[in-house]
Amino acid sequence: ALLFLALNLFVGNFFIDTRLDLTQSRLYTLSPGTNAIIAKLQEPVTLRFYFSRKNAADYPATTAYAKRVRDLLGHYAALSHGKIVLEDVDPEPFTPEEDRAVAAGMKPAPVAGGGAVYFGLEGSNSLDDRVSIAYFAPERAPYLEYDLTALLYQLSHPDKPKIALLSQLPLTNAPGTNGKPLGIYADLQRSYDITTLKEDFPAIPAGTNLLLIAHPQAIQPRQLRAIEMYVLKGGRALIFVDPLSELVQREQRPNAPPSSDLVALLKGWGVDYTPLKVVLDSGSAQRIRDPVDPQAAATPYPLWLHLTAANFSKADPVTASLSGVNLASAGALSPTKGATTKFEPLLFSSPQSSLYDRNDTLTLKNPGALTAAVHPGGKPITLAARITGRAVFPGVTSGNINIIVVADTDIWDDRFWLDTSDQSGNGGGVPFADNEGFVLNAVESLTGSDDLISLRARGNVDHPFTRVRRMQAEAESRFRETLDALRAHLTQSQSELTQLQQGGRQTALTPEQDAAMDKARREIATTRGQLREVQHNLNAEIDRLGSFLAFLNILAVPLLVAGFGIVFGLIRRRRAKRGAA
């Protein structure tokens, strides 16, 4: 006990900023981007941390999170060598500190019994530019380091980069949100100066740092020429096209085409893309409930993709540190033959993928049927790519380009990456995929702020049960045909029984009809039993694995400890006897 106390006192006094991070994703280690941004600070920055300690005392989770935020801010200040001035403000009710919190834009969270908890941050620089985080919502905890470092970056670069936006997506009025913007677009607005281009725009505005095109429609030759010249003269572009935008379909706008393309421009830049084909991928399929049989277990839906580290480029900073990205009805990209540009895949499918006619997916929604339609080609299909190098338009012009093209627009859709079911009134939802990370990484990379990219991976720590998923996929492939046959037989038996019952209401049933009804009932009962047995067998191996792991955790380890104690005790007794002898 004395050694433990002495060690803590020694470490506290001489190694106050030393940390040991044992998490697999290095969650508590500052990223290279944070260290670089702190090192590049040219002038002092003041950070004011607002936290109502007394009112938050009855909320342990909030208090613990506040301690984490405060510790991280202290770490920032220690690394800055005086460039970051950290102030703590406790805005108790009816005090000048509370007035400062209100003036800084802090949003209090009401607590039981009256009162409120302030929990936010305000930053200012020597020019009196101010940036704030109104409330550290628990849902944003995975993005804590990014939010803090982005605030520092904005203070050290007060002029926001300018984005010219050309889009037919409902970015500012997401479906089902009562006029709220999509989550990714809302975050873009905080850090960038966005100008929306009109349909008849004559040119890309001067001073534009990035041209963002998402689901373009009916672009005239004059506008195509303006985009072409902007890119060939060194302008950066981030382009989202889609063979089947489910986000647009959800909006239910009349005459809104679900597909988009820039085929002429993309070919000139060395990219082949067709809006007539979608990618089906059984190896990266998201698992959903079958709409035909909602009671059944979740099944793979190869039209919706869940990409993991194996589907990301490790050589590009946009994707190198992502964990998981969800897409829907994505298209395929490939380099054109004889292209003069460099085609570098960023996102790609698994080898268990193939192309499928887009129009057929409009009527065919059954997961099992779509899975059967996959004919793996053995090679990944590119879903997003960076295009660099010299693009040559024969007889027109040429120039060096740096663009990113994504063959999907549903990456913007909140339902594929953001859980908004419990927002607690303070945040935009809990991220369960890195869709926002990919988009903002791409924007930051193309606008030059690469230091922020390494932080984005902390937004989602995805540790899926990969072995369980593989076992589920293998079991489903074995039992799928049996399940389908049993369900078809059950449907036929129920139909026959219904017809016999309806006939019995008209006239008295004959003995043969009574026997047929009894037979149909027995077949229904037998088939249902067989269905239950097959469903049980689907999860039998997974249940055995769970039981084995439970045994290891609950019994095996304590038994090992007890066994070690017994053996150690016997050894000590034997040594004691030898010593006595």
Side-chain angles (χ1 to χ4, degrees), residues 336-579:
T336 59
K337 188 175 181 180
T340 58
T341 54
K342 185 178 181 180
F343 182 95
E344 301 173 275
L346 299 180
L347 303 177
F348 39 85
S349 68
S350 77
Q352 291 78 46
S353 59
S354 62
L355 296 181
Y356 190 70
D357 188 84
R358 177 201 64 194
N359 293 331
D360 288 346
T361 64
L362 298 176
T363 55
L364 183 63
K365 297 292 184 181
N366 183 275
L370 284 173
T371 301
V374 179
H375 301 289
K379 294 182 179 180
I381 298 173
T382 301
L383 309 170
R386 185 191 290 270
I387 315 300
T388 56
R390 193 161 190 82
V392 179
F393 284 77
V396 184
T397 186
S398 64
N400 288 319
I401 68 171
N402 187 352
I403 65 173
I404 292 177
V405 182
V406 185
D408 180 64
T409 60
D410 296 303
I411 192 172
W412 292 81
D413 196 338
D414 288 350
R415 64 176 177 153
F416 288 113
W417 72 277
L418 193 65
D419 181 5
T420 57
S421 59
D422 181 15
Q423 301 180 24
S424 303
N426 293 309
V430 181
F432 56 84
D434 283 328
N435 290 27
E436 180 186 52
F438 174 80
V439 175
L440 298 191
N441 280 357
V443 172
E444 287 156 4
S445 174
L446 292 171
T447 55
S449 51
D450 290 336
D451 286 333
L452 287 173
I453 291 179
S454 60
L455 285 69
R456 191 65 67 174
R458 302 167 192 269
N460 175 49
V461 184
D462 185 15
H463 297 290
F465 292 101
T466 53
R467 182 173 177 182
V468 172
R469 287 183 176 179
R470 185 171 62 251
M471 292 168 66
Q472 286 175 328
E474 291 172 356
E476 282 167 358
S477 64
R478 289 197 305 268
F479 293 107
R480 172 59 58 186
E481 292 184 6
T482 304
L483 277 172
D484 291 342
L486 288 173
R487 286 171 180 165
H489 184 66
L490 178 62
T491 301
Q492 181 180 355
S493 299
Q494 290 174 331
S495 177
E496 291 175 356
L497 180 60
T498 300
Q499 291 178 357
L500 288 170
Q501 289 174 335
Q502 290 175 346
R505 295 192 187 101
Q506 306 295 331
T507 58
L509 292 175
T510 64
E512 291 80 7
Q513 289 176 323
D514 281 330
M517 288 183 65
D518 291 337
K519 180 182 178 183
R521 291 191 183 99
R522 288 194 301 271
E523 287 183 351
I524 290 173
T526 301
T527 305
R528 284 177 174 168
Q530 291 173 335
L531 277 171
R532 286 192 295 270
E533 182 66 22
V534 170
Q535 197 66 49
H536 173 74
N537 290 335
L538 276 172
N539 298 317
E541 292 184 16
I542 297 172
D543 292 339
R544 283 195 293 270
L545 176 62
S547 300
F548 175 69
L549 292 176
F551 169 76
L552 284 180
N553 283 277
I554 298 171
L555 291 177
V557 173
L559 288 174
L560 285 173
V561 173
F564 175 79
I566 293 171
V567 172
F568 185 70
L570 291 174
I571 293 174
R572 289 187 63 183
R573 287 185 62 185
R574 181 174 297 180
R575 287 178 177 174
K577 288 180 179 180
R578 288 178 180 174

Side-chain angles (χ1 to χ4, degrees), residues 31 37 96 215 235 269 338 403 440 458:
S31 68
I37 287 174
H215 203 60
W269 295 331
I403 65 173
L440 298 191
R458 302 167 192 269

Side-chain angles (χ1 to χ4, degrees), residues 305-321:
L305 311 184
H306 174 65
L307 307 182
T308 59
N311 308 105
F312 304 144
S313 168
K314 296 302 180 184
D316 197 292
V318 170
T319 52
S321 55

Side-chain angles (χ1 to χ4, degrees), residues 44-50 53 66-89 100 120-124 136 148 151-152:
V45 171
T46 300
L47 300 180
R48 298 177 187 86
F49 178 56
Y50 293 90
R53 288 170 175 77
K67 185 179 185 304
R68 178 187 168 192
V69 175
R70 179 59 179 81
D71 288 346
L72 194 57
L73 289 172
H75 194 33
Y76 277 44
L79 289 176
S80 70
H81 303 292
K83 290 290 182 64
I84 297 177
V85 179
L86 182 58
E87 298 178 1
D88 290 292
V89 182
R100 290 177 62 188
L121 182 71
E122 180 193 31
S124 61
F136 285 102
L148 297 179
L151 183 144
L152 277 182

